[in-house]
Amino acid sequence: MPEKFDIHQPDDRFFKSAMSDPEVVKAYLQHFYPKIAAIAYLSSLKLENSVSLRPSLKRFEADVIYRCRFQGEADGRFYFCLLFEHKSKPDKYVAVQVGLYIMELLSSMVKKQGRELEPVLPLIFYNGKEKWMPQTLSELFQEHPHFIALEPYIPNFRFLFQDATRLSPAALLELVGVLLLERTQPNFVLIEAR
């Protein structure tokens, strides 16, 4: 009898697999975030270990983390990190999750002697059915009755957010090209049906 395979979160596994290829990440950044690609020395992209330990000793894993040098900077202090997180359904508290990953990355940099703090850019890729725009930490507290007084003390950051379900058919084909064709043989040809 054939063995049953439990494919848990296939979108997430596909995303992690595709984004584990630096060439795919390079093409993705060039296509969707050209301003980031312009300041990055993309040939220096290096996949980092995304598994870490929280203080409670429970394991957590960010989807994909890269370290990259800035364009024109040979000094090792001029790096930044790209933190990719995939979501297939809206997550009200994604800012808390991503914020934890950012703080863990920064904390690990502090612990490494001689390593300067590096900016961490959080990128969220979404392909769920519902319309969604992730809220920042500040936005999560906007309805609090003392928000005005507390706002300066709420840690806050924005996301580089890509909603694949809202892309035009042409942009979706380009995304497929970025995620798939970069990983295949260069002789692949896409023929449009008429």
Side-chain angles (χ1 to χ4, degrees), residues 76-95:
R77 293 178 298 158
F78 295 98
Y79 279 84
F80 65 99
C81 293
L82 296 163
L83 169 67
F84 287 91
E85 182 65 24
H86 169 259
K87 293 292 178 188
S88 56
K89 60 184 179 182
D91 181 350
K92 181 177 181 178
Y93 300 110
V94 70

Side-chain angles (χ1 to χ4, degrees), residues 112-187:
K112 291 182 182 173
Q113 275 190 328
R115 183 166 172 187
E116 297 287 326
L117 283 181
E118 300 167 359
V120 178
L121 304 181
L123 297 101
I124 297 178
F125 181 86
Y126 175 67
N127 68 329
K129 294 178 182 176
E130 300 172 50
K131 189 173 182 179
W132 177 56
M133 178 58 73
Q135 290 181 292
T136 65
L137 285 170
S138 184
E139 289 168 339
L140 289 172
F141 286 100
Q142 276 185 336
E143 300 302 317
H144 192 282
H146 300 288
F147 176 72
I148 300 292
L150 299 174
E151 184 179 17
Y153 311 104
I154 297 171
N156 206 25
F157 56 89
R158 291 184 290 165
F159 310 100
L160 295 164
F161 179 69
Q162 183 63 53
D163 183 349
T165 61
R166 305 293 172 238
L167 295 173
S168 68
L172 197 54
L173 277 175
E174 288 182 49
L175 175 62
V176 169
V178 166
L179 294 178
L180 289 175
L181 301 181
E182 291 292 327
R183 299 188 69 173
T184 62
Q185 298 295 326
N187 61 0

Side-chain angles (χ1 to χ4, degrees), residues 65-82:
I65 300 169
Y66 275 91
R67 190 168 181 235
C68 186
R69 224 172 62 217
F70 284 108
Q71 196 63 263
E73 304 291 347
D75 193 323
R77 293 178 298 158
F78 295 98
Y79 279 84
F80 65 99
C81 293
L82 296 163

